[in-house]
């Protein structure tokens, strides 16, 4: 038994109230992170001597991280909702996992962009630019994130899709 089942039982009303409670808590968490914590972190970052924290704020890394945390909260709360049958629990878990992966991909991209911005301030960046290499990494991050989201949504291994892409590439090479 969980908290909601002890409190309200397992009927339709309990499921509706628990679902509304979880979604309201996720929205409140997101608002709290984005309206209170992120501006506070931005003010703290502006007053430090380090350049990288200012760049992370400028590249909106914390925003994607806050959305990732909200999606993770909803993902972890799915088993707590009483009265959901296995289909809806699985649907909830898959969709929220896909959102968490999506926001994680965007946070990774933001982190790589911030790394490039900090690197471009160094004198060595004029002789050895890394933007082209980072763009290749960005492409791989997005492709991997998309494949992972698709794999989570259809409940398959990411290797299943990668092997399918490999087979399609082999057929295209033969043409």
């Amino acid at each position: 038994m969980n908290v909601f089942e002890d409190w309200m039982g397992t009927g339709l009303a309990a499921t509706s109230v628990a679902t509304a409670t979880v979604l309201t808590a996720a929205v409140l968490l997101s608002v709290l992170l984005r309206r209170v914590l992120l501006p506070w972190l931005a003010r703290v970052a502006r007053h430090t001597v380090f350049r990288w924290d200012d760049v992370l704020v400028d590249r909106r890394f914390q925003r994607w991280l806050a959305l990732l945390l909200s999606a993770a909260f909803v993902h972890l709360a799915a088993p707590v909702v009483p009265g959901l049958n296995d289909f809806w629990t699985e649907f909830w878990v898959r969709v929220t996992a896909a959102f968490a992966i999506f926001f994680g991909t965007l946070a990774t991209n933001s982190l790589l962009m911030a790394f490039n911005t900090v690197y471009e301030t160094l004198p060595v960046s004029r002789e050895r630019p890394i933007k082209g290499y980072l763009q290749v990494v960005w492409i791989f991050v997005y492709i991997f994130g998309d494949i992972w989201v698709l794999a989570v949504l259809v409940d398959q291994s990411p290797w299943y899709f990668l092997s399918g892409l490999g087979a399609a590439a082999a057929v295209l090479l033969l043409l």
Side-chain angles (χ1 to χ4, degrees), residues 51-155:
R51 168 101 172 103
W52 57 268
D53 56 356
D54 297 331
V55 173
L56 283 175
V57 170
D58 292 340
R59 294 294 179 179
R60 300 164 48 177
F61 173 73
Q62 292 90 343
R63 177 177 183 244
W64 299 124
L65 200 59
L67 290 170
L68 172 67
L69 290 174
S70 297
F73 172 77
V74 175
H75 176 77
L76 294 174
V80 177
V81 176
L84 284 181
N85 61 22
D86 292 339
F87 171 79
W88 287 110
T89 303
E90 186 69 24
F91 176 78
W92 186 331
V93 166
R94 285 187 195 173
V95 169
T96 55
F99 273 110
I101 293 165
F102 175 72
F103 293 135
T105 301
L106 292 175
T108 303
N109 181 39
S110 177
L111 191 63
L112 288 170
M113 288 177 13
F115 178 74
N116 184 48
T117 302
V118 171
Y119 182 77
E120 286 178 347
T121 63
L122 301 174
V124 73
S125 69
R126 298 197 194 284
E127 298 168 14
R128 298 179 188 258
I130 62 167
K131 187 171 186 174
Y133 299 117
L134 285 178
Q135 287 174 341
V136 171
V137 173
W138 293 335
I139 290 170
F140 280 115
V141 166
Y142 278 124
I143 289 173
F144 180 72
D146 292 343
I147 288 173
W148 196 8
V149 165
L150 185 62
V152 164
L153 287 176
V154 298
D155 197 25

Side-chain angles (χ1 to χ4, degrees), residues 3 37 46 139:
V3 174
L37 187 62
R46 299 284 182 227
I139 290 170

